[in-house]
mmCIF file of all heavy atoms in Angstrom:
data_model
loop_
_atom_site.group_PDB
_atom_site.id
_atom_site.type_symbol
_atom_site.label_atom_id
_atom_site.label_comp_id
_atom_site.label_asym_id
_atom_site.label_seq_id
_atom_site.Cartn_x
_atom_site.Cartn_y
_atom_site.Cartn_z
ATOM 1 N N LEU A 322 -3.415 -22.261 5.961
ATOM 2 C CA LEU A 322 -2.374 -21.845 6.897
ATOM 3 C C LEU A 322 -2.476 -20.360 7.186
ATOM 4 O O LEU A 322 -2.701 -19.557 6.274
ATOM 5 C CB LEU A 322 -0.987 -22.149 6.303
ATOM 6 C CG LEU A 322 0.234 -21.639 7.076
ATOM 7 C CD1 LEU A 322 0.425 -22.428 8.372
ATOM 8 C CD2 LEU A 322 1.492 -21.710 6.210
ATOM 9 N N VAL A 323 -2.314 -20.018 8.465
ATOM 10 C CA VAL A 323 -2.058 -18.633 8.874
ATOM 11 C C VAL A 323 -0.778 -18.682 9.698
ATOM 12 O O VAL A 323 -0.735 -19.325 10.744
ATOM 13 C CB VAL A 323 -3.211 -18.038 9.704
ATOM 14 C CG1 VAL A 323 -2.837 -16.641 10.193
ATOM 15 C CG2 VAL A 323 -4.497 -17.991 8.885
ATOM 16 N N LEU A 324 0.268 -18.032 9.212
ATOM 17 C CA LEU A 324 1.580 -18.083 9.855
ATOM 18 C C LEU A 324 2.073 -16.654 10.085
ATOM 19 O O LEU A 324 2.107 -15.853 9.160
ATOM 20 C CB LEU A 324 2.558 -18.857 8.979
ATOM 21 C CG LEU A 324 3.983 -19.053 9.494
ATOM 22 C CD1 LEU A 324 4.575 -20.320 8.892
ATOM 23 C CD2 LEU A 324 4.890 -17.871 9.150
ATOM 24 N N ARG A 325 2.438 -16.382 11.329
ATOM 25 C CA ARG A 325 2.963 -15.057 11.670
ATOM 26 C C ARG A 325 4.366 -15.190 12.241
ATOM 27 O O ARG A 325 4.609 -16.036 13.099
ATOM 28 C CB ARG A 325 2.047 -14.384 12.699
ATOM 29 C CG ARG A 325 2.498 -12.965 13.115
ATOM 30 C CD ARG A 325 1.600 -12.413 14.194
ATOM 31 N NE ARG A 325 1.775 -13.140 15.451
ATOM 32 C CZ ARG A 325 0.809 -13.319 16.351
ATOM 33 N NH1 ARG A 325 -0.397 -12.864 16.136
ATOM 34 N NH2 ARG A 325 1.063 -13.984 17.467
ATOM 35 N N GLU A 326 5.263 -14.357 11.742
ATOM 36 C CA GLU A 326 6.622 -14.263 12.284
ATOM 37 C C GLU A 326 6.888 -12.819 12.663
ATOM 38 O O GLU A 326 6.625 -11.909 11.871
ATOM 39 C CB GLU A 326 7.660 -14.695 11.241
ATOM 40 C CG GLU A 326 7.901 -16.165 11.144
ATOM 41 C CD GLU A 326 9.188 -16.468 10.378
ATOM 42 O OE1 GLU A 326 9.745 -15.557 9.738
ATOM 43 O OE2 GLU A 326 9.620 -17.631 10.419
ATOM 44 N N GLU A 327 7.453 -12.612 13.847
ATOM 45 C CA GLU A 327 7.810 -11.269 14.284
ATOM 46 C C GLU A 327 9.184 -11.317 14.940
ATOM 47 O O GLU A 327 9.424 -12.145 15.813
ATOM 48 C CB GLU A 327 6.793 -10.739 15.303
ATOM 49 C CG GLU A 327 5.379 -10.609 14.757
ATOM 50 C CD GLU A 327 4.367 -10.381 15.861
ATOM 51 O OE1 GLU A 327 4.332 -11.206 16.797
ATOM 52 O OE2 GLU A 327 3.633 -9.389 15.783
ATOM 53 N N GLN A 328 10.069 -10.437 14.499
ATOM 54 C CA GLN A 328 11.407 -10.363 15.077
ATOM 55 C C GLN A 328 11.669 -8.941 15.563
ATOM 56 O O GLN A 328 11.360 -7.973 14.853
ATOM 57 C CB GLN A 328 12.462 -10.747 14.037
ATOM 58 C CG GLN A 328 12.526 -12.231 13.761
ATOM 59 C CD GLN A 328 12.080 -12.591 12.367
ATOM 60 O OE1 GLN A 328 12.187 -11.801 11.464
ATOM 61 N NE2 GLN A 328 11.553 -13.788 12.212
ATOM 62 N N VAL A 329 12.198 -8.845 16.776
ATOM 63 C CA VAL A 329 12.510 -7.552 17.379
ATOM 64 C C VAL A 329 14.020 -7.501 17.609
ATOM 65 O O VAL A 329 14.587 -8.399 18.252
ATOM 66 C CB VAL A 329 11.754 -7.355 18.703
ATOM 67 C CG1 VAL A 329 12.094 -6.004 19.316
ATOM 68 C CG2 VAL A 329 10.247 -7.477 18.483
ATOM 69 N N LEU A 330 14.660 -6.482 17.092
ATOM 70 C CA LEU A 330 16.123 -6.380 17.135
ATOM 71 C C LEU A 330 16.556 -5.595 18.372
ATOM 72 O O LEU A 330 16.586 -4.361 18.362
ATOM 73 C CB LEU A 330 16.637 -5.723 15.861
ATOM 74 C CG LEU A 330 16.208 -6.404 14.550
ATOM 75 C CD1 LEU A 330 16.833 -5.710 13.369
ATOM 76 C CD2 LEU A 330 16.543 -7.880 14.570
ATOM 77 N N GLY A 331 16.866 -6.333 19.413
ATOM 78 C CA GLY A 331 17.333 -5.723 20.652
ATOM 79 C C GLY A 331 16.202 -5.368 21.596
ATOM 80 O O GLY A 331 15.085 -5.073 21.169
ATOM 81 N N ARG A 332 16.507 -5.417 22.885
ATOM 82 C CA ARG A 332 15.567 -4.927 23.879
ATOM 83 C C ARG A 332 15.625 -3.403 23.912
ATOM 84 O O ARG A 332 16.399 -2.791 23.186
ATOM 85 C CB ARG A 332 15.908 -5.538 25.240
ATOM 86 C CG ARG A 332 15.684 -7.044 25.287
ATOM 87 C CD ARG A 332 16.290 -7.703 26.505
ATOM 88 N NE ARG A 332 17.750 -7.736 26.443
ATOM 89 C CZ ARG A 332 18.505 -8.477 27.233
ATOM 90 N NH1 ARG A 332 17.941 -9.260 28.144
ATOM 91 N NH2 ARG A 332 19.813 -8.463 27.110
ATOM 92 N N THR A 333 14.812 -2.778 24.721
ATOM 93 C CA THR A 333 14.736 -1.316 24.747
ATOM 94 C C THR A 333 16.109 -0.697 24.999
ATOM 95 O O THR A 333 16.781 -1.017 25.975
ATOM 96 C CB THR A 333 13.757 -0.850 25.834
ATOM 97 O OG1 THR A 333 12.471 -1.424 25.580
ATOM 98 C CG2 THR A 333 13.635 0.670 25.845
ATOM 99 N N GLY A 334 16.524 0.180 24.093
ATOM 100 C CA GLY A 334 17.798 0.867 24.229
ATOM 101 C C GLY A 334 19.024 0.009 24.029
ATOM 102 O O GLY A 334 20.130 0.399 24.400
ATOM 103 N N GLU A 335 18.851 -1.168 23.410
ATOM 104 C CA GLU A 335 19.934 -2.134 23.272
ATOM 105 C C GLU A 335 20.211 -2.410 21.806
ATOM 106 O O GLU A 335 19.284 -2.505 20.995
ATOM 107 C CB GLU A 335 19.550 -3.435 23.978
ATOM 108 C CG GLU A 335 20.560 -4.560 23.861
ATOM 109 C CD GLU A 335 20.030 -5.853 24.484
ATOM 110 O OE1 GLU A 335 19.052 -6.407 23.942
ATOM 111 O OE2 GLU A 335 20.587 -6.279 25.501
#
Side-chain angles (χ1 to χ4, degrees):
L322 173 71
V323 175
L324 181 153
R325 181 184 69 211
E326 276 195 347
E327 298 167 305
Q328 285 113 27
V329 180
L330 304 183
R332 293 168 289 194
T333 302
E335 177 185 66

